[in-house]
Amino acid sequence: MKNRALIYALSILLIISIAFNYIQFHQSNILQQIAADYKAQNNYYLEKLSKIASEKSSTLQENQSSITKTNNKSTNNTNLESISAVAVRPVLQSDGFFETTTYVGAVLKITVEIRDGSGLVLVNTEVPTGVDFQTSARTAVNIAQKIANIDLTKKDVIFSIASENNQELQAVDGGSAGGAMTVLLISDISGKPINNKILMTGTIQSDGSIGKIGGVAEKADAAGKYGAKIFLVPNGQGVTQVQSCDEKREGVFIYRSCTLQEKPLSPITENQYGMKVVEIDNITDALGYFNSNQIK
């Protein structure tokens, strides 16, 4: 009786074990199928994402290529004419007790752009400047219209002015760049090249004459260091003040007297820089130098 009960118990355990193993096997197959489905689905989405990423990358490269071409076209735009002008700026010096002001020349680069508009005359600088630049620009446009026989009332003229140290522009007197701005605009309108070995200083007057300025010697020094071969200045200003001193001994005392003498500036700059200083009367004289490839 006990043996029969044991056999029944073992049979029931065996059946339960077989059933359990079957269930486990079935669940395992289901899990493997689910895993395979997830893997296939994952591969599908990965492939799709890869394709999308590839398409976006291709589009991005095309856009970047287009942007690069546009930027290069903008950067390589050399249609804007330019001229170098010389101005002067004050420099404050202090020895601890006293302050003195000296003047040094500064070379400015001026470009001009003419575009369709309503007759505006604009001056673009890196830092704010005074009204002299604006006044000179308007006079330059008026003179250019007369000499080139052209109407700019339906055009906007934009002068852009810069220097190696843009902070210098805050102290530079823009009036002395007026002549150069006029030469630049007329040359641009007429399509004539500008000789970059020539620099000038001088205001532009309403009758086209070149007006007098200050600091000629300092400006000539800056032009010579810049590498100019001819420096144009207003008529009567191609001179500089040179100090001459004499000493006289009387006993143990030495008396020294100094005077300022006016001497031509050109021999000095020719000796120092190989640059001639030439006086001019009007804007036509200036154009004769700037629009020539020859150094006169």
Side-chain angles (χ1 to χ4, degrees), residues 37-48:
D37 291 341
Y38 274 121
K39 185 177 181 180
Q41 189 177 20
N42 185 55
N43 290 336
Y44 169 77
Y45 282 117
L46 285 176
E47 183 178 353
K48 191 171 183 178

Side-chain angles (χ1 to χ4, degrees), residues 1-295:
M1 194 70 180
K2 290 183 179 181
N3 291 335
R4 186 178 294 178
L6 181 61
I7 291 172
Y8 283 140
L10 291 174
S11 298
I12 292 172
L13 288 175
L14 180 60
I15 293 170
I16 293 173
S17 177
I18 292 172
F20 179 76
N21 288 331
Y22 174 78
I23 293 172
Q24 287 289 96
F25 177 76
H26 182 68
Q27 288 180 342
S28 177
N29 286 339
I30 292 174
L31 290 175
Q32 287 179 359
Q33 184 62 44
I34 292 173
D37 291 341
Y38 274 121
K39 185 177 181 180
Q41 189 177 20
N42 185 55
N43 290 336
Y44 169 77
Y45 282 117
L46 285 176
E47 183 178 353
K48 191 171 183 178
L49 288 173
S50 177
K51 184 177 180 181
I52 293 173
S54 178
E55 291 175 352
K56 286 186 176 181
S57 176
S58 177
T59 302
L60 181 60
Q61 288 177 356
E62 290 177 0
N63 291 338
Q64 287 177 337
S65 177
S66 176
I67 292 172
T68 300
K69 289 179 181 178
T70 302
N71 288 339
N72 287 339
K73 183 178 180 181
S74 176
T75 303
N76 296 328
N77 182 11
T78 57
N79 292 329
L80 298 184
E81 285 286 351
S82 67
I83 194 172
S84 295
V86 187
V88 71
R89 64 185 180 91
V91 177
L92 189 64
Q93 295 180 332
S94 174
D95 59 3
F97 295 95
F98 301 99
E99 290 185 345
T100 58
T101 301
T102 59
Y103 293 88
V104 297
V107 177
L108 310 177
K109 182 180 180 181
I110 308 174
T111 58
V112 67
E113 179 183 2
I114 304 173
R115 62 189 185 189
D116 293 337
S118 57
L120 296 177
V121 179
L122 307 173
V123 177
N124 175 39
T125 57
E126 293 292 334
V127 294
T129 56
V131 298
D132 286 334
F133 277 122
Q134 187 66 43
T135 302
S136 298
R138 291 189 176 279
T139 305
V141 171
N142 291 334
I143 297 300
Q145 290 184 106
K146 294 177 182 178
I147 293 180
N149 192 26
I150 190 173
D151 183 9
L152 296 175
T153 56
K154 294 184 179 180
K155 301 288 183 179
D156 289 342
V157 179
I158 305 169
F159 291 99
S160 296
I161 304 172
S163 66
E164 288 187 1
N165 179 5
N166 284 321
Q167 296 303 316
E168 294 178 350
L169 290 175
Q170 291 178 324
V172 168
D173 176 13
S176 61
M181 295 168 74
T182 309
V183 168
L184 171 63
L185 182 55
I186 295 173
S187 299
D188 182 68
I189 293 171
S190 59
K192 294 182 179 179
I194 293 176
N195 191 329
N196 60 12
K197 291 297 182 181
I198 299 172
L199 268 67
M200 77 172 290
T201 185
T203 64
I204 183 64
Q205 305 300 307
S206 58
D207 61 353
S209 62
I210 303 300
K212 295 185 181 297
I213 41 81
V216 174
E218 291 80 9
K219 293 174 182 178
D221 184 65
K225 291 177 179 177
Y226 179 80
K229 295 302 178 183
I230 292 180
F231 183 48
L232 304 179
V233 301
N235 190 26
Q237 291 200 282
V239 294
T240 185
Q241 299 291 328
V242 178
Q243 182 175 268
S244 177
C245 298
D246 294 322
E247 293 184 354
K248 182 180 180 181
R249 179 183 292 274
E250 291 185 4
V252 295
F253 298 101
I254 297 177
Y255 296 93
R256 189 175 187 226
S257 61
C258 297
T259 58
L260 289 176
Q261 296 180 345
E262 193 174 85
K263 292 188 176 182
L265 184 57
S266 190
I268 298 174
T269 58
E270 287 182 57
N271 181 57
Q272 288 183 326
Y273 306 113
M275 179 188 73
K276 293 181 179 180
V277 176
V278 179
E279 296 181 355
I280 57 173
D281 288 313
N282 50 58
I283 199 66
T284 303
D285 293 342
L287 289 167
Y289 284 92
F290 277 103
N291 294 152
S292 173
N293 292 326
Q294 303 296 322
I295 301 296

